[in-house]
Amino acid sequence: MQTEVIFPLAGRRVWVAGHRGMVGSAIARRLSSEGCEVLSVGRAELDLTDQAATYAWMAANRPDVVFLAAAKVGGILANDSFPADFIRDNLQIEMNIIEGARRAEVAKLVFLGSSCIYPKFAAQPMTEDALLTGSLEPTNEWYAIAKIAGIKMCQAYRLQYGCDFISAMPTNLYGPGDNFDLQSSHVMPALMRKAHEAKLAGKSQLVMWGTGSPRREFMHCDDCADAVVHMAKTYSDLSHINVGTGEDISIAELTRLVADVVGFKGDVVSDPTKPDGTPRKLLDISRLRALGWSPRFGLREGAASAYQWYLNHGANGR
Ligand code: GFB
């Protein structure tokens, strides 16, 4: 089903806030085929937690469209270890860019959140209506509250000012440009790096955090970028939209899949001192599918392409 394009991007000035991150760089790549001008600004030039500087940059550069992919992100250990950093930095970035977009008369803003906004024990798969119906997962409730605030800001700005600001809630993402630092990263890049280093070192064990029983949904960042660009062109309403693949896997099964992709033949051992987090985070993507979008990447194919990127760029590649 081909949905009507209500907001063409051709000829527009499009700012990807967070363009150097995994999702932001994927969105910038995806926009190259839209006939628009892609704007970007590095951290050295603009600190997005600085309100005055952010307003001034937006007033001077007048983007027509903003993809708000800039955020302080991290895996379960980073979120659990630095709650103040995650809630403060993300609230500041969102408030500065969303209010800055109103002041600069931005025609369309797409705010990117995360599937951790939903209650820890939400019914699975999680629909957009599950938001705020139960308590959050303690290891990342700080980040989750910041992202829920971003959704609410976009809704409030639509109601009070008529701003066409929409929200996309991606599931766990992976792919080129990911963070491979073993302390701050998410599970997919962490397992990939650990399996790779164990293979090279001839080690017989690969350490998996937690019990391995939690289930997660993994979406390639290029699929996510394609989905949020599609949303920018076809969606304008109050509700946020889930962005995922509609399929999940246990962490134990993921560990075996990554070991296989990497070619690590040893044993997997669990580290019970690390948290499991939410038992399951599978998104219902019916609303995204109703917009005429469906995922392209299969998990094994996506993991293999992410591993190839890691081999070409190393742990600190960008
Ligand atoms: O990807 P992850 O850090 O984030 O952890 P969440 C997912 C699951 O993988 C947890 C397990 O059960 C981890 O215990 N895991 C196993 C590992 N081995 C590892 C490892 O080596 N590293 C990591 N990091 N995990 C995040 C939120 O939750 O999801 C963020 O904290 C964000 O705010 C992100 O929302 C999308 O999926 O548990």
Side-chain angles (χ1 to χ4, degrees):
M1 175 183 84
Q2 187 53 39
T3 308
E4 182 199 357
V5 173
I6 57 175
F7 190 93
L9 294 176
R12 299 279 191 169
R13 294 163 57 80
V14 183
W15 176 34
V16 180
H19 75 287
R20 286 184 56 78
M22 175 175 68
V23 183
S25 51
I27 292 171
R29 280 196 298 275
R30 174 62 185 76
L31 288 171
S32 62
S33 58
E34 288 294 325
C36 58
E37 180 186 358
V38 178
L39 309 180
S40 62
V41 56
R43 284 181 195 220
E45 201 183 338
L46 176 61
D47 173 0
L48 294 174
T49 64
D50 179 334
Q51 184 183 81
T54 302
Y55 290 174
W57 188 90
M58 294 181 79
N61 291 275
R62 311 279 315 159
D64 302 308
V65 181
V66 177
F67 284 91
L68 210 180
K72 178 175 181 53
V73 298
I76 189 166
L77 190 60
N79 271 266
D80 202 25
S81 306
F82 307 104
D85 296 349
F86 276 89
I87 194 164
R88 178 196 60 243
D89 291 2
N90 286 303
L91 282 176
Q92 286 179 330
I93 291 168
E94 292 160 13
M95 288 186 62
N96 294 343
I97 293 179
I98 291 169
E99 170 58 12
R102 180 189 70 83
R103 293 176 178 217
E105 297 174 322
V106 165
K108 189 87 177 196
L109 179 141
V110 183
F111 168 66
L112 274 81
S114 166
S115 60
C116 72
I117 61 169
Y118 292 113
K120 176 165 187 155
F121 300 110
Q124 305 286 323
M126 304 180 290
T127 66
E128 288 84 355
D129 299 336
L131 185 63
L132 295 173
T133 59
S135 55
L136 297 167
E137 157 59 35
T139 56
N140 57 42
E141 65 179 312
W142 330 99
Y143 178 75
I145 289 287
K147 289 301 178 180
I148 292 169
I151 293 173
K152 289 300 173 186
M153 278 194 78
C154 290
Q155 290 175 342
Y157 275 59
R158 179 178 292 271
L159 292 170
Q160 183 170 335
Y161 301 116
C163 296
D164 190 2
F165 296 176
I166 61 174
S167 295
M169 289 303 119
T171 188
N172 289 50
L173 303 176
Y174 69 94
D178 209 342
N179 167 19
F180 286 85
D181 172 77
L182 295 182
Q183 290 308 305
S184 63
S185 67
H186 292 97
V187 60
M188 174 78 88
L191 289 174
M192 207 163 272
R193 178 172 178 179
K194 289 194 281 189
H196 178 75
E197 292 178 346
K199 182 180 82 170
L200 293 191
K203 283 187 182 168
S204 61
Q205 288 192 336
L206 166 61
V207 175
M208 170 192 71
W209 292 356
T211 64
S213 59
R215 298 185 68 84
R216 292 290 184 275
E217 177 183 21
F218 294 97
M219 185 180 213
H220 192 283
C221 58
D222 286 343
D223 253 353
C224 178
D226 191 52
V228 299
V229 169
H230 183 78
M231 278 179 60
K233 295 159 64 177
T234 63
Y235 182 69
S236 175
D237 207 338
L238 268 174
S239 175
H240 59 289
I241 300 286
N242 288 339
V243 176
T245 65
E247 294 176 12
D248 66 354
I249 184 174
S250 76
I251 296 303
E253 291 166 316
L254 176 76
T255 306
R256 279 192 288 277
L257 181 149
V258 169
D260 190 45
V261 163
V262 169
F264 171 74
K265 309 283 188 213
D267 299 323
V268 173
V269 291
S270 77
D271 173 359
T273 69
K274 294 293 190 304
D276 269 347
T278 305
R280 197 175 185 201
K281 266 197 294 186
L282 176 62
L283 294 178
D284 178 310
I285 60 169
S286 309
R287 291 191 188 179
L288 180 59
R289 289 188 185 281
L291 288 175
W293 190 86
S294 50
R296 284 176 304 140
F297 280 84
L299 184 55
R300 175 175 288 275
E301 165 207 3
S305 84
Y307 181 51
Q308 193 55 52
W309 186 91
Y310 174 69
L311 293 176
N312 298 339
H313 297 81
N316 302 311
R318 267 282 180 265

